[in-house]
Amino acid sequence: MAAIFTFIALSFIIIWEPLMANAKIFIVLMEDDPFVSTKSKNFEDFDIYKETLRKQHDMLLENLLERSVYTKVYSYTHLINGFSIHLTSHEALDILENAEGVRAIYEDVKMKKLTTHTPDFLGIPASVWPKLGGATASGAGVVIGMIDTGINPFHPSFLAQASNGDRRGVVVKSGKFKGKCVTGDRFPETACNNKIVGAQYFARAATAAGEFNASRDYASPFDADGHGSHTASTAAGNHNVPVIVNHFNYGYASGMAPGAGIAVYKAMYSFGGFMSDVVAAVDQAVEDGVDILSLSVGPANVPSGPSAFLNVLEMQLLFATRAGVLVVQAAGNGGPSSTSILSFSPWITSVAASTTDRRYNNSIVLGNGRSFSGSGLSPPTLSGTYFQLAAASDVCKGNTTSGLLTVESCQETETFIRTLVHGKIVICTYTFDFESETASIATVADTIQKIGAAGFVLTMDPDIGSEQIKGATMTLSVPGLILNNMEASTALREYYNSNTLRSRSGRAISFRATARILDGRQASYTKQDPVVASYSSRGPDVNNAFLDTADVLKPNIMAPGSSIWASWSPTSEGDRYIKGQNFALLSGTSMATPHIAGIAALIKQKHPGWTPAAITSAMMTTADVTGQSNAPILAQQTNQLTPATPFDFGSGLVNPSRAIDPGLVFKAGFKHYVLFLCSVPGVDEMSVRRAVGVGCPNKKKAWCSDLNTPSVTISNLVGSRNVIRRVTNVGGVDEKYQVIVKEPLGVSVSVAPQVFKIMANASRHITIVLNATQTTNVYSFGEIVFEGNQNHRVRVPLAVFVSSTLHS
């Protein structure tokens, strides 16, 4: 059975280091549970429990510290048990660090609000949440089923939400959801609450294949990998959760639909997963009554057989759609290659990934005044102080048994002379060992910390060339910089060599090159337009493993997927860069997918009666194809940027504020999808019957392009083709629309009627006639826009391959 696993992950480690306490505020977390983690379900007990915790905090401080050296700022008693404290004494901090019952201490840092940044980037806090009762109520009553690697139930993003009297802040459990909570390793009965409304795991296929290891993968819904926690918190994590990594507050996290419930169906593991387990998970989720399914997973390749659409997982997702469940799936991470899409069917909302305008940059400033930019979310070296630079090979033992490459990659503490390296910035080298994953940046940081160096700079190896450094955006607990640039790496080494005195034998005897590393943890917001990420899989969609192109637009929609902050599992073995962390900064269409799932939950809350097709249509027809600058959105190709096409981003970047009020929608249901399957080239009725359980009707559709989707894709236009679409007015009022057409190259497009009035809740047919005027033998793109007099703008992308004209 082919394994299914689609995600990119990069990150880091939490280690406590002593903090300077010159009149600073610190957050102290306690070992005991906050109220929300207790077994009590009686919220009348809340005030009593809260007061008990406050007294415990006060008693601890009074017994340990002199009253003159501290001021307690807050007691935290609900989502976390702890307090914030203003300290003027380093000794007081040391005492607290060693006090019984204290779990962790973090320095409070003044920061701009970031969330995962993507709610703000998409305009949700200002234009969507207020219309749905505020952030914590947005998505209430909707349940999102997450089919992934499970969930970390101890994370603050998933703690229960308490009532404050007006039900704001309460996750309202869907009346139709009947899921259960399966307990097991690291997943107690208290794991499920009014945020995690259900949790189950599926591993029978993985066990049978000998892949599942209970001590590593956990026989429970607990997330041993981290990926599932990341996607779940992106879709529906609690609002305003501090993102603290390496004792630094990077901002505040929030899911797209903080009020929605999360139902967990663990069917993926650090090693991947099996389709039969995923199908079982989908089956259970639909039976339980979820409203939306989010799958950041997909097949490794295009399925074999007569059609990719008849693959068993695609069929299971069709049945989920028939049951009224919207299915959202990652498009894949095979970009920028064409036909790399791994989510095929028109009943699935396939998601592409974009960049955002948030950037993390770091710099190293040399003693000669030059500076070089790099990456690495690290603290700075001591402010204003320049430290000596030292190449790793110049501060190591001369008789070491380790090879030179191992020394230069800074992977072993034993090779360094502690007295020589102490207090210096060490120049390490990104060797082939990093490419083969026998070396890691996390180990570099660990080595630098253990040997007492002031920091490190990781330079490119000339033999590696222009390869991208793996893990370059990881967070670091020590000052560090990754120079992912050969020119800068060469210039830094030239400066170092020209300022290092050596003996006749070549041994360094005096280090005169100096540098300091700036703070790389501060984000900048460039206002730069989103760009289709290079890894995001591209269309055109395919009918089968022979890559015959299909009359289906894929991907469907785009959402942010690059450098997304979200929840993680500290025990994760899935990625060495992130081991030990509570949050991770990841990239991939896996990260884009839960954005769409969460936004779909907001639409579902606003319009509970809408079908999956209507919700998808609302997002597609209102998506943005231009950025804030009004310039067309671009796509990352190999070593260049080009204007994005529907095969890069579908209908465009999701626009939540417009999607909740789209004006017109394009509806389709199970019978329409069966008609679609019956018109797929190379698929006979017996194949459809075997896959779907029903045969083809006597009156078939001539073309796949006849399916009532909010897009028109024709993979082989010969002469002329009539396409019928049916629109439904969901705007609540009668509206008059005018049609505007932008024709693809080589195609004449006419739409009838050109102007029409449509009553509220009514539907009408639109006829689109496409005539080939020029043989292109390549896809060209256009659009049809319906402009309404009630400020609705409905956009339908066109993608047409003209293989022959009427006159040829």
Side-chain angles (χ1 to χ4, degrees):
M1 188 69 71
I4 38 185
F5 199 46
T6 307
F7 75 88
I8 294 178
L10 311 168
S11 240
F12 343 114
I13 299 177
I14 292 180
I15 301 170
W16 166 249
E17 294 179 335
L19 298 171
M20 297 303 294
N22 296 324
K24 294 181 179 179
I25 296 176
F26 297 88
I27 299 171
V28 181
L29 302 185
M30 305 302 293
E31 294 283 2
D32 292 339
D33 289 334
F35 177 78
V36 294
S37 297
T38 67
K39 294 182 179 179
S40 174
K41 300 300 180 184
N42 183 0
F43 284 102
E44 293 179 357
D45 294 339
F46 176 64
D47 287 338
I48 297 173
Y49 193 86
K50 179 170 63 174
E51 188 60 30
T52 299
L53 291 183
R54 283 176 176 167
K55 288 180 178 178
Q56 289 176 355
H57 300 160
D58 291 339
M59 190 177 301
L60 174 73
L61 292 172
E62 289 171 3
N63 290 338
L64 291 176
L65 305 178
E66 293 290 336
R67 188 67 184 83
S68 60
V69 301
Y70 77 89
T71 303
K72 192 184 78 169
V73 182
Y74 285 109
S75 271
Y76 306 114
T77 58
H78 182 47
L79 294 179
I80 59 173
N81 173 16
F83 54 87
S84 56
I85 185 170
H86 185 264
L87 289 176
T88 60
S89 163
H90 187 95
E91 290 74 16
L93 180 60
D94 290 339
I95 291 170
L96 278 176
E97 283 183 293
N98 297 306
E100 183 178 353
V102 171
R103 177 158 59 93
I105 301 177
Y106 302 102
E107 182 181 353
D108 194 358
V109 180
K110 186 178 181 180
M111 291 286 294
K112 293 181 178 180
K113 183 180 178 182
L114 302 180
T115 68
T116 55
H117 177 51
T118 45
D120 284 323
F121 184 69
L122 295 172
I124 294 174
S127 57
V128 180
W129 287 343
K131 298 176 182 177
L132 300 174
T136 54
S138 294
V142 181
V143 175
I144 303 174
M146 304 298 302
I147 297 182
D148 214 301
T149 63
I151 199 165
N152 172 14
F154 311 110
H155 199 284
S157 290
F158 308 122
L159 294 181
Q161 296 293 287
S163 173
N164 62 4
D166 63 359
R167 295 195 63 79
R168 292 189 178 185
V170 181
V171 177
V172 182
K173 188 173 179 179
S174 168
K176 71 183 180 70
F177 182 75
K178 307 298 180 185
K180 61 182 179 180
C181 188
V182 174
T183 60
D185 293 349
R186 293 185 62 81
F187 213 86
E189 290 183 3
T190 54
C192 287
N193 47 42
N194 61 359
K195 168 54 70 175
I196 303 174
V197 296
Q200 300 174 58
Y201 73 100
F202 302 83
R204 293 181 184 178
T207 302
E211 292 275 9
F212 182 83
N213 181 331
S215 63
R216 175 195 65 194
D217 303 311
Y218 293 92
S220 78
F222 180 76
D223 183 10
D225 180 84
H227 188 261
S229 300
H230 199 281
T231 55
S233 65
T234 301
N238 288 330
H239 179 60
N240 218 35
V241 176
V243 178
I244 299 175
V245 178
N246 293 326
H247 318 295
F248 187 83
N249 188 337
Y250 282 92
Y252 296 85
S254 174
M256 301 300 106
I262 298 170
V264 178
Y265 300 89
K266 177 180 172 181
M268 300 295 295
Y269 302 87
S270 58
F271 59 82
F274 292 85
M275 185 175 288
S276 52
D277 286 333
V278 174
V279 168
V282 173
D283 200 56
Q284 188 63 59
V286 174
E287 181 181 340
D288 291 344
V290 302
D291 299 292
I292 296 160
L293 271 176
S294 180
L295 293 91
S296 288
V297 300
N301 305 104
V302 181
S304 59
S307 173
F309 308 126
L310 299 177
N311 169 44
V312 62
L313 180 58
E314 303 287 310
M315 286 295 98
Q316 187 75 334
L317 299 179
L318 171 59
F319 301 145
T321 303
R322 177 171 60 175
V325 178
L326 173 65
V327 178
V328 184
Q329 186 180 30
N333 294 332
S337 300
S338 63
T339 64
S340 54
I341 203 84
L342 289 173
S343 177
F344 312 102
S345 299
W347 48 86
I348 299 169
T349 305
S350 307
V351 187
S354 78
T355 63
T356 70
D357 67 341
R358 183 178 62 199
R359 299 289 181 269
Y360 289 104
N361 293 308
N362 202 350
S363 296
I364 185 169
V365 182
L366 305 183
N368 63 2
R370 294 192 68 183
S371 64
F372 300 108
S373 296
S375 57
L377 285 69
S378 86
T381 49
L382 290 177
S383 179
T385 302
Y386 281 80
F387 294 84
Q388 291 178 333
L389 281 169
S393 57
D394 286 335
V395 287
C396 68
K397 298 173 183 176
N399 60 351
T400 179
T401 57
S402 299
L404 181 60
L405 289 181
T406 301
V407 171
E408 290 184 341
S409 62
C410 300
Q411 298 295 294
E412 298 178 359
T413 59
E414 294 79 10
T415 62
F416 289 96
I417 303 171
R418 300 297 180 94
T419 56
L420 196 56
V421 76
H422 183 78
K424 292 183 173 67
I425 295 175
V426 181
I427 302 174
C428 306
T429 304
Y430 186 84
T431 64
F432 281 111
D433 288 341
F434 289 87
E435 291 294 302
S436 63
E437 298 190 353
T438 57
S440 75
I441 298 173
T443 303
V444 174
D446 189 47
T447 299
I448 295 303
Q449 185 176 52
K450 288 178 178 177
I451 64 178
F456 73 91
V457 55
L458 187 62
T459 59
M460 293 290 293
D461 185 333
D463 293 331
I464 296 287
S466 60
E467 291 292 328
Q468 291 293 305
I469 290 180
K470 295 180 180 179
T473 57
M474 70 174 292
T475 59
L476 300 166
S477 59
V478 298
L481 181 81
I482 295 97
L483 280 182
N484 196 5
N485 178 284
M486 185 59 67
E487 183 179 350
S489 297
T490 301
L492 182 140
R493 285 196 174 270
E494 287 176 351
Y495 166 70
Y496 170 72
N497 289 329
S498 65
N499 286 276
T500 301
L501 295 182
R502 299 182 182 276
S503 66
R504 291 184 178 181
S505 64
R507 192 72 179 173
I509 57 175
S510 179
F511 301 92
R512 297 179 178 178
T514 61
R516 63 188 181 100
I517 296 171
L518 305 185
D519 194 337
R521 301 169 299 182
Q522 305 287 349
S524 61
Y525 298 89
T526 64
K527 302 295 184 182
Q528 183 176 327
D529 290 340
V531 175
V532 183
S534 60
Y535 55 79
S536 187
S537 287
R538 313 299 168 92
D541 195 15
V542 295
N543 283 326
N544 49 46
F546 296 108
L547 303 185
D548 294 330
T549 53
D551 286 357
V552 177
L553 180 63
K554 292 291 173 179
N556 297 106
I557 194 77
M558 183 170 71
S562 293
S563 298
I564 305 300
W565 278 115
S567 307
W568 199 249
S569 288
T571 58
S572 170
E573 297 289 344
D575 191 298
R576 72 175 81 185
Y577 293 123
I578 319 172
K579 185 174 174 61
Q581 300 288 14
N582 273 316
F583 290 90
L585 186 69
L586 307 186
S587 299
T589 53
S590 280
M591 283 64 254
T593 299
H595 282 87
I596 295 299
I599 292 166
L602 301 178
I603 299 172
K604 183 73 173 178
Q605 179 190 14
K606 180 74 172 177
H607 308 284
W610 281 15
T611 64
I615 295 173
T616 299
S617 173
M619 290 188 285
M620 290 181 64
T621 59
T622 58
D624 292 328
V625 294
T626 59
Q628 296 182 29
S629 66
N630 290 322
I633 291 176
L634 302 177
Q636 293 176 349
Q637 302 291 347
T638 305
N639 299 322
Q640 63 176 330
L641 291 175
T642 61
T645 76
F647 291 160
D648 298 319
F649 63 5
S651 286
L653 180 72
V654 66
N655 184 324
S657 61
R658 293 184 58 217
I660 62 173
D661 180 23
L664 303 175
V665 295
F666 296 73
K667 295 182 178 180
F670 180 72
K671 65 179 182 180
H672 305 109
Y673 296 129
V674 173
L675 282 169
F676 163 83
L677 290 171
C678 293
S679 62
V680 174
V683 173
D684 57 26
E685 183 174 352
M686 186 59 67
S687 297
V688 174
R689 186 178 293 276
R690 280 196 300 264
V692 186
V694 297
C696 298
N698 292 329
K699 188 177 181 181
K700 300 180 183 179
K701 294 284 186 180
W703 306 99
C704 292
S705 56
D706 291 325
L707 181 64
N708 195 45
T709 59
S711 61
V712 177
T713 302
I714 298 177
S715 59
N716 184 25
L717 179 62
V718 178
S720 178
R721 189 179 303 185
N722 284 17
V723 175
I724 306 296
R725 289 292 183 265
R726 183 176 176 86
V727 296
T728 301
N729 181 0
V730 294
V733 295
D734 299 351
E735 191 160 5
K736 184 178 180 180
Y737 283 90
Q738 181 175 354
V739 179
I740 302 170
V741 177
K742 179 182 177 182
E743 296 177 333
L745 179 66
V747 183
S748 170
V749 180
S750 62
V751 180
Q754 279 281 317
V755 179
F756 60 91
K757 185 175 182 179
I758 184 168
M759 308 290 286
N761 302 314
S763 300
R764 70 161 301 145
H765 287 95
I766 304 293
T767 302
I768 305 167
V769 181
L770 300 101
N771 285 294
T773 59
Q774 176 184 342
T775 301
T776 60
N777 287 321
V778 68
Y779 276 99
S780 57
F781 307 96
E783 63 183 25
I784 299 171
V785 177
F786 301 89
E787 292 274 9
N789 64 352
Q790 299 295 324
N791 295 320
H792 293 115
R793 188 175 190 273
V794 181
R795 181 181 172 276
V796 177
L798 306 176
V800 184
F801 187 106
V802 182
S803 54
S804 179
T805 66
L806 283 172
H807 308 292
S808 60

